[in-house]
Amino acid sequence: MKIGNKSYQSIWIDESDPAIIRVIDQQRLPFFFETKELRSVDDVFSAIDDMTVRGAPLIGAAGAFGIYLATLEINSHTDIRDHLSNAARYLKSCRPTAVNLSWAVNYVMDSLDFDLPLKLLSERSLAAANEICEMEKENCRRIGYHGLKLIESISEKKKGEPVNILTHCNAGWLACIDYGTATAPIYFAHDKGIPIHVWVDETRPRNQGAKLTAWELGQYGVPYTLIADNAGGHLMQHKMVDIVIVGSDRTTRTGDVANKTGTYLKALAAFDNNIPFYSAFPSTSFDFSISNGAEEIVIEKRDPEEVTRISGFSDGRIQSVLICPEDTVALNFGFDITPARLITGLITEKGICWATEKDITEMFSDKI
Ligand code: MRU
């Protein structure tokens, strides 16, 4: 994606030093555009944990590069199989809900022959991590292409009046490698000159919508309006939303979707108001081994301080302030489950499918 005149993706290998993985520091956006260097497995773990990098496909890519950096930590005394297996286990333990992390780490580990000479082992792991980045970019580009048709058909019905799209959290290019998932159809519609407008949920408690989605859409010139998370239902009742498009961190073989906390409530409101509700994601976010999302998907529990405090920009710096009595007890689930019955369809790189086991296993029979 272009920032100013320079093209960026959310993660890349440093041009001048192949021992450095560079990422956009998403904790500093939208107030500061800064990149961060990752030089070790620990750096990657911290960057995922403190959400310098976040979003399912990007967390996966970061984990993949983490294995590459682990190969650079090997010396003549290292038991290679042990070292890399420990690094893989450690990285996969960082955040539990997004399936892409374990998928990507396993993808790189499965591509390795531990008996290879060290230089070849590193090259092979880097090649696998770069493959994942190219794959996810292509997946998102195709999601954009398929999702665009949904926006075009609504635009035709609205005779050119703006298509109002509601989105939750940030499922944009920052959360992927490029294009985004929920945002890819939006960018392609904008490129085609289709009048659109995006309702951006602030997405408490970490405000990925207010900070990251608003920033992305602003950079691209897409009209958007920031709303409080709880305002979406009212807008839907008053026919101010034509379609809801969100991302996914883990989708079951039956079509249940785990995504940022609050997504389920948006799906309920959309269902109650007969508004199409789509989840856009690459097939790398499917977990075909499970069928009941509410019972089988592990929901990340994060620091309660993310709820009792809020961070923003003031006096030239990013600051965190308390928003409740000092001794307030808070609970912070990072994700929730939207059951398949509330989902109109899934926008994937292979096309749009119903959120049913039959449709999913038919469309992805090669991956199951
Ligand atoms: O906690 P986050 O910011 O990693 O949560 C991100 C989301 O829930 C996204 O919607 C999801 O990962 C899809 S990103 C394309």
Side-chain angles (χ1 to χ4, degrees):
M1 201 53 85
K2 271 232 157 52
I3 306 298
N5 296 328
K6 191 167 179 220
S7 287
Y8 281 90
Q9 53 185 58
S10 57
I11 189 168
W12 64 100
I13 189 146
D14 189 289
E15 295 89 2
S16 59
D17 183 346
I20 297 175
I21 301 300
R22 219 165 251 288
V23 295
I24 295 170
D25 187 345
Q26 299 191 31
Q27 295 202 85
R28 306 286 287 165
L29 286 173
F31 313 111
F32 302 100
F33 182 82
E34 294 169 1
T35 65
K36 206 168 191 174
E37 299 182 350
L38 309 180
R39 294 167 177 266
S40 66
V41 175
D42 282 333
D43 285 354
V44 173
F45 187 97
S46 308
I48 296 173
D49 188 48
D50 67 18
M51 294 174 73
T52 298
V53 295
R54 31 75 43 210
L58 176 58
I59 291 173
F65 282 115
I67 298 298
Y68 161 63
L69 291 174
T71 67
L72 302 183
E73 296 170 351
I74 293 170
N75 60 39
S76 53
H77 309 295
T78 311
D79 177 308
I80 294 177
R81 185 181 297 277
D82 264 8
H83 174 72
L84 293 180
S85 307
N86 290 340
R89 225 183 345 270
Y90 177 54
L91 288 165
K92 288 195 276 189
S93 72
C94 190
R95 294 186 71 195
T97 308
V99 68
N100 296 66
L101 180 54
S102 53
W103 174 84
V105 168
N106 292 342
Y107 183 92
V108 178
M109 290 296 280
D110 293 347
S111 76
L112 299 180
D113 167 358
F114 299 131
D115 300 324
L116 280 172
L118 189 48
K119 187 168 177 305
L120 266 184
L121 190 72
S122 292
E123 284 169 7
R124 184 78 55 86
S125 61
L126 178 58
N130 283 328
E131 261 167 44
I132 289 173
C133 289
E134 292 313 310
M135 209 192 292
E136 294 295 23
K137 273 200 282 192
E138 182 55 16
N139 286 340
C140 288
R141 195 186 63 75
R142 291 179 184 207
I143 287 168
Y145 170 75
H146 295 301
L148 172 61
K149 296 177 199 145
L150 295 171
I151 297 175
E152 281 175 329
S153 74
I154 296 172
S155 184
E156 269 157 40
K157 289 192 198 103
K158 293 193 76 176
K159 302 190 171 42
E161 280 297 303
V163 176
N164 291 305
I165 304 155
L166 186 141
T167 195
H168 189 70
C169 194
N170 172 255
W173 71 270
L174 287 170
C176 304
I177 313 300
D178 206 345
Y179 303 109
T181 56
T183 56
I186 292 170
Y187 292 135
F188 289 11
H190 184 70
D191 290 345
K192 251 190 145 180
I194 297 170
I196 54 171
H197 164 261
V198 184
W199 299 110
V200 176
D201 277 355
E202 60 183 340
T203 318
R204 278 279 296 164
R206 292 185 66 101
N207 292 328
Q208 288 92 328
K211 291 180 175 174
L212 306 176
T213 304
W215 179 78
E216 279 196 29
L217 297 177
Q219 291 287 328
Y220 210 81
V222 175
Y224 71 90
T225 306
L226 182 64
I227 54 172
D229 292 326
N230 295 327
H234 172 75
L235 297 177
M236 293 182 200
Q237 273 176 341
H238 293 270
K239 314 242 172 299
M240 296 164 75
V241 177
D242 298 303
I243 183 171
V244 179
I245 310 179
V246 299
S248 170
D249 287 85
R250 188 184 295 250
T251 299
T252 67
R253 59 184 296 130
T254 52
D256 295 344
V257 166
N259 196 47
K260 183 50 56 189
T261 197
T263 305
Y264 174 39
L265 300 180
K266 287 291 142 28
L268 284 169
F271 188 80
D272 190 45
N273 293 283
N274 223 359
I275 291 164
F277 181 97
Y278 287 86
S279 174
F281 58 91
S283 56
T284 49
S285 297
F286 268 120
D287 184 344
F288 295 115
S289 71
I290 56 176
S291 51
N292 183 324
E295 281 173 17
E296 299 176 80
I297 296 181
V298 177
I299 299 292
E300 182 183 10
K301 238 183 183 175
R302 293 188 59 87
D303 188 336
E305 274 215 355
E306 292 182 352
V307 175
T308 58
R309 305 185 72 86
I310 194 165
S311 95
F313 184 72
S314 175
D315 300 334
R317 61 192 175 88
I318 294 176
Q319 306 193 37
S320 163
V321 295
L322 192 62
I323 61 167
C324 58
E326 189 87 43
D327 56 0
T328 297
V329 175
L331 184 58
N332 185 11
F333 283 111
F335 300 90
D336 62 20
I337 307 296
T338 298
R341 63 183 171 79
L342 297 177
I343 299 173
T344 312
L346 309 174
I347 312 172
T348 75
E349 76 271 15
K350 284 194 169 194
I352 298 174
C353 71
W354 298 122
T356 64
E357 182 158 6
K358 178 176 171 302
D359 235 46
I360 291 169
T361 44
E362 252 166 42
M363 187 177 267
F364 294 95
S365 52
D366 60 324
K367 295 187 187 288
I368 296 176

